[in-house]
Amino acid sequence: MAQQTGMAAPRRGSFSRNAAPDAPQRRLHRRTYAALDLGTNNCRLLVARPAEEGFVVVDAFSRIVRLGEGLAATGRLSDRAMDRAVAALSICAEKLQRRQVTLVRSVATEACRRASNGREFVERVYRETGIALDIISAEQEARLAVLGCHVLLEPGEGPALIFDIGGGSTELVLIEPVGDTPRIIEWFSAPWGVVSLTETEPHDWADREARLAAYGRMRARVAEAFAPFAEGLAGANHASSRLLGTSGTVTTLASLHLGLASYDRRAVDGLMVPAQSMRDISTRLSSMSVAERAGLPCIGTERADLVVAGCAILEAIIDIWPAERLGVADRGIREGILRSLMARETGRA
């Protein structure tokens, strides 16, 4: 649920009911909104103000916190992982205060959904930072991701598949683009993300053939998880299949496809990449050691051990929805939250 500022104390920015009748839209454009997404791997914040078309970002924050580290083995969030997340959320809380945010929605996803101590962690976050995290369902997560990135779908007829490869899960959403908000035909959540899959099948073998074998097992695990959803797609006409992905995996691989020396959101967000190029890059990365991957631009040490799991998930998605090109979105849940908050406020104005 959205809260005024999402903090323990109310913020400035509420408006007077005595304002002139033509003031609502001006008031809306003065308001500042924020969306916070605490995932299994990342903590991300986006602060924005409404604009004529969409919104203008005024502040942002992203940090890899690996909240779900060790979760697959213990069923609990570890103390070290929670400490890292709280440290990142404390920075977010400071930004919310400094930007005088009017309305914020803060969500937590798969790690907190799955962990036996997820609720306890949420209570700790509120005590220490004032941020009220809402543990959302997989369906809510999928809908927000679609709302945040569907505008990047290339034109075409028939259904399209949008996916979000997270740290602890992957959401697949089959949509029919109609009007400003697409109609969701079917959605599916698989319990494999870059963190959970990596921990199940470590990929730090010294031998190249062993690394390729491990990659094959990763793909098989994901394919098995996707099987129920894939059965429903079996009769679909893939002649004009459109595919759009939002995740660190697809933006990283898109950067490698472009040969970027450092990550550039302007070059990546909205890019269309041949699916075969993504497969080729995935195969190349899966054969490399962690150290070799860490030396590549746009991967580095923070993603070097996780990116191969993302590649396995991506290839499994292309297997069941064989589009010729893949759309890349550097936007998703946070943008979906912002659009929903602003739309709600507009309706009230």
Side-chain angles (χ1 to χ4, degrees), residues 6-8 82 86 90 119-133:
M7 309 294 292
M82 290 189 290
V86 169
S90 296
R119 294 287 178 185
E120 297 171 24
F121 170 68
V122 167
E123 292 171 1
R124 175 188 168 185
V125 168
Y126 186 72
R127 286 196 309 270
E128 297 187 19
T129 71
I131 292 174
L133 287 171

Side-chain angles (χ1 to χ4, degrees), residues 232-264:
L233 301 178
N237 179 7
H238 297 291
S240 60
S241 296
R242 289 170 294 159
L243 186 61
L244 176 65
T246 168
S247 70
T249 295
V250 294
T251 56
T252 297
L253 268 60
S255 299
L256 295 174
H257 169 75
L258 293 174
L260 299 180
S262 60
Y263 185 72
D264 183 353

Side-chain angles (χ1 to χ4, degrees), residues 189-212:
S189 180
W192 296 122
V194 296
V195 175
S196 56
L197 187 58
T198 297
E199 291 188 348
T200 305
E201 186 63 65
H203 199 265
D204 55 355
W205 302 98
D207 180 72
R208 179 179 182 275
E209 295 305 314
R211 292 194 290 268
L212 289 173

Side-chain angles (χ1 to χ4, degrees), residues 3 36 38 89 106-108 112 121-122 125-126 131-135:
Q3 309 101 25
L36 192 156
L38 179 63
L89 290 167
S106 306
V107 303
C112 289
F121 170 68
V122 167
V125 168
Y126 186 72
I131 292 174
L133 287 171
D134 177 16
I135 302 177

Side-chain angles (χ1 to χ4, degrees), residues 71-133:
L71 177 60
T74 67
R76 294 178 58 83
L77 303 176
S78 71
D79 290 340
R80 289 180 61 185
M82 290 189 290
D83 288 345
R84 289 194 298 266
V86 169
L89 290 167
S90 296
I91 296 173
C92 293
E94 293 172 3
K95 287 181 175 289
L96 293 173
Q97 292 175 357
R98 186 166 64 251
R99 294 293 182 178
Q100 298 183 10
V101 170
T102 309
L103 194 66
V104 60
R105 187 180 186 194
S106 306
V107 303
T109 55
E110 183 67 12
C112 289
R113 283 198 297 263
R114 190 183 301 182
S116 60
N117 59 339
R119 294 287 178 185
E120 297 171 24
F121 170 68
V122 167
E123 292 171 1
R124 175 188 168 185
V125 168
Y126 186 72
R127 286 196 309 270
E128 297 187 19
T129 71
I131 292 174
L133 287 171

Side-chain angles (χ1 to χ4, degrees), residues 34-40 42 44-46 55 105-110 113 134 136-150 162-167 169 171 246-247 329-341:
L36 192 156
D37 172 22
L38 179 63
T40 303
N42 291 279
R44 297 186 177 100
L45 173 71
L46 206 58
F55 53 80
R105 187 180 186 194
S106 306
V107 303
T109 55
E110 183 67 12
R113 283 198 297 263
D134 177 16
I136 59 174
S137 68
E139 181 177 7
Q140 290 174 302
E141 183 178 356
R143 289 182 179 277
L144 286 171
V146 168
L147 183 60
C149 73
H150 75 91
I162 294 179
F163 66 89
D164 182 1
I165 302 173
S169 66
E171 278 62 54
T246 168
S247 70
D330 186 352
R331 60 181 78 185
I333 291 176
R334 293 175 304 165
E335 288 80 3
I337 290 172
L338 286 173
R339 290 185 185 281
S340 62
L341 289 178

